[in-house]
Amino acid sequence: MVILRPFVDKQTILNFAKCYPELDVASIETCLAFLHTTADVYQALDVHFARYGLSRGNLLC
């Protein structure tokens, strides 16, 4: 089961943008969404491979 959790909440990003006006909030949110998705995919891969006694590192051997 994938549990959705934000890395950083929107208010934190908006507060940071006040200090750095050139910050593109939408781009930061998109990047964080990709990071979140990547972490979920890696977690799912780890669970799947563990069923067979494997890990992502062992696949290269």
Side-chain angles (χ1 to χ4, degrees):
M1 170 190 261
V2 175
I3 299 171
L4 297 177
R5 72 223 175 283
F7 283 125
V8 179
D9 64 19
K10 184 163 181 101
Q11 190 58 51
T12 300
I13 297 170
L14 292 174
N15 289 342
F16 198 67
K18 289 177 186 175
C19 295
Y20 301 95
E22 69 278 6
L23 188 78
D24 183 351
V25 173
S27 294
I28 297 298
E29 289 177 316
T30 301
C31 182
L32 290 172
F34 279 120
L35 288 172
H36 175 144
T37 302
T38 301
D40 287 342
V41 168
Y42 281 151
Q43 181 181 13
L45 286 172
D46 290 340
V47 169
H48 176 73
F49 291 142
R51 292 179 192 152
Y52 303 99
L54 300 172
S55 69
R56 285 182 279 136
N58 291 343
L59 294 175
L60 300 176
C61 298

